[in-house]
Amino acid sequence: MKHYKKTTKWFFLLFLLLTGSFYFSLITGRLPTPLLPSMWTGTLRGVVYDLRLPRIILGILVGTGLAMTGAVYQSIFKNPLASPKILGTTDGAAVGVAAAILWIGTNRVLIELSGFITGLIATLGVLWLSKAIKYGGSVLRLILAGMAVSAFSSALIGLLKFLADPYQVLPTITFWLLGSLNGRGWVDVLYAGPVILAGIIAFHLLRWRVNILGLSDEEAHSLGVNPKLYRGILIGFGSLIVSASTSVAGSIAWIGLLMPHLARALFGADNRYVIPGSGLIGGIMLLLCDTYARSATSYEIPLGIVISFVAAPVFVLILSRRSLKWRR
Amino acid sequence: MEALRIESIEFGYEPGSPVLKDVSLTVREPSITAILGPNGAGKSTLLKLILGVEKPWKGRILLYGKPLEEYSPRDKARLISWVPQDPPNIPLSVYEYVLLGRAPHLGFLSTPTPRDETIVFTVLEEMDLWRFHDRPVNSLSGGERQLVMIAKAIAQESKIILMDEPTSHLDVGNKIRVLRIVKQLVNQGKTIIYTTHDPNEALLTADNTVIIHNGRIIEQGETGRVVRAENLSRIYGVELREVELNSNRYVLPQL
């Protein structure tokens, strides 16, 4: 059918773009890099393989993971403005990061681990709190609980910043939370990579069933799908991705919200294509933004700022071209 | 063959205030059963219990002789499909939406196979809906959406189809189209259970009718015997009369 031909064409182009961005990022940086890998010797070899490559891999994983989570959350919460932040996981992870920087110090693995754990705790808190809320249906309860946990986490982050030494510790917390892949290496890939990758694979395998969760709970039930169980599984993988991403790269906004909309503009509404399509676009977008962040100026611009500069006009473009009612 | 048996069920959403009381019912295969009653009588709740979304407080539901709770969600979905009252407000295309009906026939991590796609294509062709296949479901008219929801239930290939007020939002033309499809489905061996508040729909299509009022069944059996002006006047609280036209009986209001 016509639609499938178009879909295959777009996936092929996106794969090509991702491969091209990967190579472009590998040869781009403050240190001039020749085009051929055989010419990467000495210090340059170390820069490419030990500094740029792990950062590129991490960038692709974080971008792909967050964009796929956004696509899944927008479907299961039946809300085109849902993002990976909706369940308080991002702010929860930020609390752990800020607390670890304040009290543990500069050990990056411990900071990331702390963020990962508090991100998961925040999500569990949301799931628990949603049972206590008596207002609205099960989806609205989750969103409301997410808002409450996010607000509480933001207050905690504010408190931790207030307690931090304004000359030594506060800038570190602020810079981390702005979002950056500066200084991330193979250790970070080994720590966060498998967790994010597990989430990406799970989302890819369950992508068609996510369509069913966009229906009413009764309709999902009639198709042999227990909506609460499936939502729980998807939220579980989503919170793993978001906790790992936030703890390793800080608070990366917009990717999870906007990439699914770009994917829908290319593929329509079927999550069989939207979820992997969002992932590819998210990976490319984050990689290119990070490449710009680390090579444009002599002092690295935080990734979160670069992404927001790019995302704001894209957001306006989407709003001007397509209604957020998800019409094609 | 007995498709469904409901034995003295009681159910409510709030403890102490049952919505359904002592409801018993048997449905044979193939047949059309209309559940008739005024708004708020408990008709949709009864369908939700048959679907297994809600569990009865008391009593039990047997599907082909086996208690409903002994079926896995997937096995149950191969036997019962559901046409909701409110059309889904989703941007999936008609084709993608009807394809979801194949979910009970696929594994946990599977995506639809070419065979599933062929089944959906055939259903859409037969229902003359293929011309819409690329259109988002939420851009269709109410009547078109209703037909698309029925198409999904047909693609599910279940033996029983539950329909929650399938004609309530439709104009006369679409209403007749839907009722014709219901009749065709029963000729193909399906068992249809649908709710309605229009007695004439029951008279036109249903083999059996269950009249439900305030959560209790007040009359059930063969439609011609059950759907009588005196029974209906009692539950709707207005005077109704029966007229006969071309050997069909209708119930009309008397103003």
Side-chain angles (χ1 to χ4, degrees):
Chain A
M1 275 185 291
K2 212 168 60 186
H3 182 62
Y4 290 118
K5 277 187 187 160
K6 211 173 92 185
T7 303
T8 315
K9 186 186 82 187
W10 278 118
F11 271 117
F12 179 71
L13 280 175
L14 287 174
F15 264 118
L16 216 60
L17 203 55
L18 182 65
T19 316
S21 309
F22 182 92
Y23 183 65
F24 171 74
S25 185
L26 217 50
I27 58 166
T28 307
R30 266 165 271 161
L31 198 66
T33 313
L35 293 176
L36 291 175
S38 56
M39 294 165 82
W40 302 340
T41 51
T43 319
L44 188 60
R45 194 180 166 77
V47 167
V48 171
Y49 289 112
D50 293 331
L51 296 180
R52 289 182 197 163
L53 186 59
R55 194 168 160 159
I56 289 169
I57 292 172
L58 209 55
I60 293 173
L61 284 173
V62 169
T64 305
L66 288 177
M68 283 175 120
T69 308
V72 169
Y73 281 10
Q74 285 175 8
S75 270
I76 65 176
F77 293 118
K78 303 174 181 77
N79 183 347
L81 290 176
S83 79
K85 282 171 78 84
I86 198 165
L87 289 179
T89 318
T90 310
D91 289 331
V95 171
V97 165
I101 293 171
L102 182 62
W103 287 311
I104 297 173
T106 52
N107 185 326
R108 221 170 54 226
V109 172
L110 287 181
I111 293 171
E112 288 169 7
L113 203 62
S114 165
F116 181 65
I117 291 168
T118 54
L120 292 184
I121 291 172
T123 314
L124 289 174
V126 168
L127 295 177
W128 174 78
L129 203 59
S130 70
K131 289 195 169 68
I133 292 173
K134 297 281 177 256
Y135 179 79
S138 54
V139 170
L140 184 59
R141 287 175 194 193
L142 278 169
I143 294 172
L144 293 172
M147 284 170 72
V149 169
S150 272
F152 185 69
S153 302
S154 297
L156 282 178
I157 296 165
L159 185 67
L160 291 168
K161 281 182 172 175
F162 175 71
L163 293 173
D165 170 6
Y167 298 104
Q168 300 291 322
V169 182
L170 186 57
T172 317
I173 295 177
T174 307
F175 192 74
W176 192 300
L177 295 184
L178 274 174
S180 176
L181 288 172
N182 186 19
R184 307 302 188 271
W186 286 114
V187 177
D188 308 276
V189 174
L190 286 176
Y191 144 73
V195 178
I196 299 175
L197 197 61
I200 289 172
I201 292 169
F203 281 163
H204 184 74
L205 291 173
L206 287 164
R207 66 195 187 284
W208 183 63
R209 303 235 153 199
V210 174
N211 285 334
I212 297 175
L213 295 177
L215 307 173
S216 70
D217 278 8
E218 285 89 7
E219 213 174 343
H221 204 97
S222 75
L223 294 168
V225 168
N226 179 340
K228 283 187 182 163
L229 177 71
Y230 272 73
R231 262 201 299 272
I233 292 172
L234 292 167
I235 287 171
F237 281 112
S239 55
L240 283 177
I241 290 176
V242 178
S243 296
S245 300
T246 310
S247 63
V248 82
S251 183
I252 307 278
W254 293 104
I255 294 280
L257 173 68
L258 288 189
M259 300 309 117
H261 287 282
L262 292 179
R264 278 188 208 104
L266 299 180
F267 300 110
D270 190 343
N271 280 305
R272 265 187 299 173
Y273 314 115
V274 170
I275 289 175
S278 301
L280 281 171
I281 300 172
I284 295 164
M285 178 72 105
L286 201 135
L287 178 59
L288 291 178
C289 287
D290 184 53
T291 308
Y292 181 82
R294 71 177 161 78
S295 15
T297 58
S298 56
Y299 186 78
E300 180 157 339
I301 312 165
L303 178 60
I305 295 173
V306 177
I307 290 176
S308 297
F309 267 124
V310 176
V314 173
F315 186 53
V316 174
L317 194 72
I318 289 173
L319 284 175
S320 62
R321 288 195 59 214
R322 288 156 47 79
S323 141
L324 278 180
K325 283 178 185 164
W326 303 11
R327 283 177 194 275
R328 278 207 250 172
Chain B
M1 186 186 180
E2 186 181 287
L4 182 77
R5 175 188 285 269
I6 297 175
E7 292 176 350
S8 315
I9 55 167
E10 188 174 307
F11 173 77
Y13 297 100
E14 300 283 335
S17 12
V19 175
L20 292 173
K21 289 158 268 186
D22 195 26
V23 169
S24 295
L25 175 69
T26 304
V27 176
R28 301 194 70 77
E29 175 186 84
S31 66
I32 303 176
T33 302
I35 300 172
L36 178 65
N39 295 329
K43 306 186 296 288
S44 299
T45 305
L46 181 57
L47 285 197
K48 283 182 191 174
L49 285 159
I50 299 171
L51 189 61
V53 178
E54 306 287 355
K55 308 263 179 295
W57 292 349
K58 280 187 205 159
R60 60 180 192 156
I61 299 171
L62 300 171
L63 187 61
Y64 293 98
K66 190 170 143 186
L68 198 61
E69 60 274 13
E70 286 181 18
Y71 285 93
S72 71
R74 198 164 144 228
D75 288 344
K76 197 166 56 191
R78 286 179 183 187
L79 293 174
I80 304 183
S81 56
W82 162 264
V83 178
Q85 186 175 354
D86 298 313
N89 184 22
I90 47 163
L92 286 177
S93 71
V94 166
Y95 178 78
E96 290 156 354
Y97 174 70
V98 175
L99 198 56
L100 297 180
R102 300 302 301 158
H105 301 275
L106 294 168
F108 180 64
L109 300 174
S110 315
T111 51
T113 61
R115 186 178 169 270
D116 298 307
E117 298 189 335
T118 309
I119 289 169
V120 170
F121 171 77
T122 313
V123 171
L124 289 175
E125 272 277 297
E126 280 174 2
M127 289 182 73
D128 194 23
L129 291 172
W130 182 251
R131 58 206 161 101
F132 299 132
H133 81 277
D134 225 8
R135 292 231 339 241
V137 174
N138 58 5
S139 73
L140 301 176
S141 71
E144 289 160 353
R145 282 195 220 188
Q146 196 65 40
L147 293 175
V148 167
M149 290 195 292
I150 294 172
K152 186 191 64 149
I154 296 171
Q156 200 169 329
E157 292 184 320
S158 63
K159 292 182 172 183
I160 302 172
I161 302 178
L162 306 179
M163 298 183 178
D164 194 5
E165 302 203 4
T167 57
S168 61
H169 302 305
L170 305 185
D171 58 44
V172 158
N174 281 315
K175 203 176 267 199
I176 301 299
R177 249 166 243 136
V178 167
L179 294 178
R180 276 189 187 145
I181 290 169
V182 167
K183 284 200 133 183
Q184 278 168 16
L185 286 172
V186 85
N187 291 336
Q188 291 163 15
K190 304 276 185 197
T191 301
I192 313 285
I193 304 171
Y194 74 91
T195 60
T196 180
H197 41 70
D198 182 351
N200 293 318
E201 272 179 25
L203 283 167
L204 280 170
T205 56
D207 302 305
N208 295 300
T209 296
V210 177
I211 299 181
I212 192 163
H213 184 47
N214 288 336
R216 283 185 193 278
I217 292 180
I218 58 162
E219 199 79 53
Q220 64 173 308
E222 204 190 313
T223 301
R225 185 179 61 78
V226 168
V227 183
R228 311 292 318 201
E230 64 266 25
N231 286 338
L232 299 170
S233 295
R234 198 151 37 102
I235 63 160
Y236 287 103
V238 289
E239 212 166 311
L240 297 163
R241 66 194 170 102
E242 291 173 22
V243 291
E244 226 172 275
L245 194 67
N246 297 338
S247 70
N248 282 326
R249 197 156 49 82
Y250 298 91
V251 176
L252 295 175
Q254 213 162 344
L255 293 177

